Amino acid sequence: MESTRRSFLALFLLVVLGSSIATVEEENSEFWRSQARKTLQAALDRKLNTNVARNILFFLGDGMGLTTLTAARILKGQLENQPGEETVMTMDTFPNVGLAKTYSVDFQVADSAATATAYLCGVKTNLNIVGVNAAGRNGVCRTQKGNEVTSILKWAKDAGKSVGIVTTTRVQHATPAGSYAHSASRTWYCDADMPESAKRDGCTDISFQLINNTDIDVIIGGGRKYMTPTGTKDPEYPTDFFSNGERKDGRDLIKEWQNLKTGKVAHYVWNKADFDAVDPETTDYLMALFEPGDLRYEEERDPSMDPSIVETTEKAIRILQKNPKGFFLLVEGGRIDQAHHAGRASMALHEAVAFDRAIAKGLELTEEHETLTVVMADHSQPLTFNGFPFRGNSILGKSPLWAGDMLPYTTLMYGNGPGHKIVNGTRPDIRNVDTKSKDYIQQAAVPVDTTTHSGEDVAVLARGPMAHLFQGVNEQNYIAHAMGYAACVGADLRHCEGQTAPPLVHTTLKYNKNGAGAVSASAALLGSLLSGLLAITILM
């Protein structure tokens, strides 16, 4: 009772102290009414864009739940010396917003393999499985055969479009793998990762499938070591044993990829200098693998060696858009999720801000009347935003309210994770700790080595042709079908039947001097399931 009374008193004092923080214009009722009228008029003036989508730009923020979106928005503004809460992310300007339910067939909380299969292939499946329906069993090769499902990337390629994947993880990771691979285990990056029984039953590793399943025009990310024979020294880290090639079959898939492209202008690069030298206008194919495994976090990236996600997105679009039939491009901000798994909220938010900048670059390089752009997350993370911080308080800072143990806490915390530290029944005292550091690990309620995912719905944002299909609350597998319908790829071609010259009615994005955007109208088996849980850990 006494602690409750103290909490209410502290909150009352905060309200009093914070009452003078608002700007003069925000204290004027007309400011908010005027803002609302403009937003309302933009919504009233908006016309449906019913064109057939020539291009699809699909941006996937791995682990980018709603709390991450909100916190990243604030961080973006604060990096520009603004309070942050009123900041507009590029993705905030998308006029159509819906929610997707993320559960897998076997679990309430899904992993990135099951979710990728849903939103890319249009079919929900089980945990740890990629490109295979729910009849597949984790790690059991024979259940894979006959249950493979194809993705919208494959549908687009079959329709004559150019296709590409850009990721900040390894290109064999769950999200990109969902666009081209069929695997009873998401962890079969190369043959060395596979059990002998799977090889005997005829299954192949994900790297092998990367170059043999679908003719992908642009492949950008990490994952060099899964492409070369055991012991092959890495060109960037020749003395690092853990960066060496890992393939037991002796195959050099990079060279095999180059041989498959004989007669075409195909470039393989592993550093920024060679990447920058690639001329999109004369390039047919590009494979760029910048690290042995996942790419470095944006905050730790060496700009002289590795391009940013903005740069890789731009290069991919410029190569793909030469095709008169259009393109499909998957861009994954994959390390948002990995930073969350490590409990490093600062790193995760900086990854999300960089991801949003890549979205802005995508919009800059394409035309809304012909390009459907979709932004979504595959699943969320157990990140909370709490504590009654003052307006403009650092999103990575501490709440002015202290807890019942008379110790401060950060406004961003995790439900579980490596940040759980209780010594003699007491939380760490963080009064003198720099919680804004990229290396700070947020406190967590439950001790686990790596955060689990969380199971709430994720946001789906869309603009461009048929973007209005992305609204309401839908199953996650609906996304692939809606994108396919909009672009007339895959099985459902009704949208393009009889259409010859669709009207060019679209919504444009305009930026003000502060970079903020504003929208305006312009005419299964239990054993295998449990083993899947053991296999996922940080790989989620």
Side-chain angles (χ1 to χ4, degrees):
M1 189 61 148
E2 178 61 23
S3 63
T4 301
R5 189 187 68 79
R6 287 200 307 266
S7 295
F8 276 115
L9 177 60
L11 181 57
F12 172 76
L13 291 174
L14 285 178
V15 171
V16 172
L17 291 171
S19 63
S20 62
I21 293 176
T23 63
V24 172
E25 62 180 1
E26 289 178 337
E27 293 179 348
N28 186 337
S29 300
E30 185 55 29
F31 167 80
W32 298 104
R33 291 170 182 151
S34 175
Q35 187 180 83
R37 283 195 298 268
K38 291 177 183 177
T39 303
L40 175 61
Q41 195 58 49
L44 292 170
D45 292 342
R46 190 176 300 132
K47 302 295 190 299
L48 294 185
N49 181 342
T50 58
N51 296 351
V52 173
R54 176 174 174 266
N55 311 312
I56 300 177
L57 264 178
F58 184 57
F59 289 92
L60 192 285
D62 201 314
M64 191 180 68
L66 287 174
T67 304
T68 301
L69 276 176
T70 303
R73 176 191 301 128
I74 295 172
L75 176 63
K76 181 180 179 181
Q78 292 179 346
L79 290 173
E80 298 169 353
N81 298 315
Q82 302 295 323
E85 295 82 6
E86 73 297 326
T87 299
V88 179
M89 299 273 272
T90 298
M91 64 183 91
D92 291 340
T93 66
F94 285 38
N96 298 278
V97 182
L99 294 173
K101 297 187 282 185
T102 63
Y103 68 91
S104 64
V105 169
D106 51 351
F107 281 88
Q108 285 183 337
V109 179
D111 77 320
S112 294
T115 52
T117 304
Y119 60 74
L120 290 172
C121 302
V123 175
K124 284 210 171 193
T125 191
N126 298 323
L127 216 68
N128 215 44
I129 291 174
V130 62
V132 178
N133 67 28
R137 297 294 181 265
N138 174 40
V140 183
C141 171
R142 65 178 179 274
T143 66
Q144 177 181 315
K145 300 304 177 66
N147 294 316
E148 298 91 345
V149 289
T150 57
S151 78
I152 188 167
L153 179 141
K154 177 74 162 57
W155 309 345
K157 189 67 179 184
D158 289 346
K161 297 182 184 295
S162 294
V163 298
I165 55 176
V166 170
T167 180
T168 54
T169 66
R170 66 204 80 173
V171 295
Q172 302 88 353
H173 213 255
T175 298
S179 69
Y180 63 82
H182 314 288
S183 183
S185 173
R186 57 174 288 176
T187 64
W188 292 349
Y189 300 128
C190 73
D191 65 319
D193 300 317
M194 301 176 65
E196 291 302 320
S197 60
K199 298 176 188 176
R200 286 195 301 270
D201 288 341
C203 284
T204 56
D205 63 272
I206 293 172
S207 293
F208 177 86
Q209 295 184 55
L210 171 65
I211 70 168
N212 288 286
N213 280 9
T214 303
D215 185 27
I216 303 175
D217 302 90
V218 174
I219 301 167
I220 302 177
R224 290 192 297 253
K225 65 182 180 180
Y226 306 112
M227 306 290 284
T228 56
T230 302
T232 302
K233 292 187 181 302
D234 186 80
E236 189 172 1
Y237 313 107
T239 61
D240 180 14
F241 173 81
F242 296 102
S243 297
N244 288 349
E246 295 188 0
R247 299 197 66 82
K248 289 183 176 181
D249 58 10
R251 305 180 77 148
D252 187 329
L253 296 184
I254 295 172
K255 289 183 179 178
E256 290 187 22
W257 176 83
Q258 291 172 317
N259 292 335
L260 288 170
K261 309 309 177 190
T262 301
K264 298 289 185 178
V265 179
H267 298 288
Y268 166 71
V269 300
W270 59 268
N271 60 71
K272 189 174 186 298
D274 291 343
F275 176 79
D276 290 345
V278 172
D279 182 1
E281 295 304 316
T282 61
T283 299
D284 299 313
Y285 292 93
L286 173 63
M287 178 186 286
L289 305 179
F290 297 108
E291 290 289 333
D294 299 322
L295 302 190
R296 295 182 183 275
Y297 287 114
E298 178 63 21
E299 285 293 277
E300 298 174 339
R301 179 176 61 87
D302 180 353
S304 69
M305 288 300 296
D306 301 323
S308 68
I309 188 174
V310 175
E311 294 171 296
T312 53
T313 298
E314 177 173 6
K315 184 80 74 173
I317 292 173
R318 291 194 184 280
I319 292 173
L320 299 175
Q321 66 185 2
K322 299 193 304 292
N323 188 336
K325 292 186 178 180
F327 66 83
F328 170 86
L329 176 62
L330 165 65
V331 179
E332 183 201 19
R335 302 222 69 189
I336 301 169
D337 183 64
Q338 292 177 340
H340 277 316
H341 279 299
R344 299 168 71 183
S346 172
M347 198 69 83
L349 299 189
H350 278 90
E351 289 293 306
V353 170
F355 180 66
D356 191 65
R357 291 175 179 144
I359 295 169
K361 177 59 67 174
L363 301 188
E364 174 189 321
L365 295 172
T366 57
E367 297 292 338
E368 185 176 0
H369 71 268
E370 64 176 9
T371 302
L372 171 64
T373 304
V374 178
V375 179
M376 68 176 292
D378 50 354
H379 55 75
S380 188
Q381 280 275 357
L383 182 70
T384 64
F385 182 8
N386 60 103
F388 293 105
F390 289 120
R391 173 81 178 276
N393 190 63
S394 171
I395 189 62
L396 299 168
K398 303 157 192 171
S399 170
L401 283 177
W402 286 18
D405 56 8
M406 298 309 295
L407 290 172
Y409 59 93
T410 54
T411 56
L412 293 179
M413 305 176 71
Y414 288 97
N416 59 48
H420 178 88
K421 295 178 176 64
I422 302 293
V423 179
N424 296 325
T426 303
R427 294 185 303 118
D429 185 346
I430 60 171
R431 280 177 293 181
N432 297 317
V433 175
D434 180 11
T435 60
K436 301 174 189 177
S437 166
K438 66 181 178 62
D439 296 316
Y440 177 71
I441 297 176
Q442 248 72 17
Q443 292 181 5
V446 176
V448 293
D449 291 336
T450 170
T451 66
T452 66
H453 295 163
S454 54
E456 69 267 25
D457 299 350
V458 294
V460 183
L461 307 100
R463 75 194 290 270
M466 305 305 291
H468 55 281
L469 296 177
F470 300 88
Q471 59 183 340
V473 181
N474 295 294
E475 296 286 359
Q476 197 169 38
N477 67 295
Y478 166 76
I479 305 302
H481 296 282
M483 289 192 294
Y485 180 88
C488 282
V489 299
D492 192 344
L493 305 179
R494 289 176 295 164
H495 183 43
C496 58
E497 290 174 354
Q499 289 207 29
T500 54
L504 305 185
V505 180
H506 60 286
T507 300
T508 58
L509 180 70
K510 296 181 179 178
Y511 287 91
N512 64 29
K513 62 182 179 180
N514 294 320
V519 177
S520 64
S522 71
L525 297 176
L526 181 59
S528 67
L529 299 179
L530 294 177
S531 66
L533 281 176
L534 294 175
I536 291 170
T537 62
I538 192 64
L539 297 175
M540 293 187 286

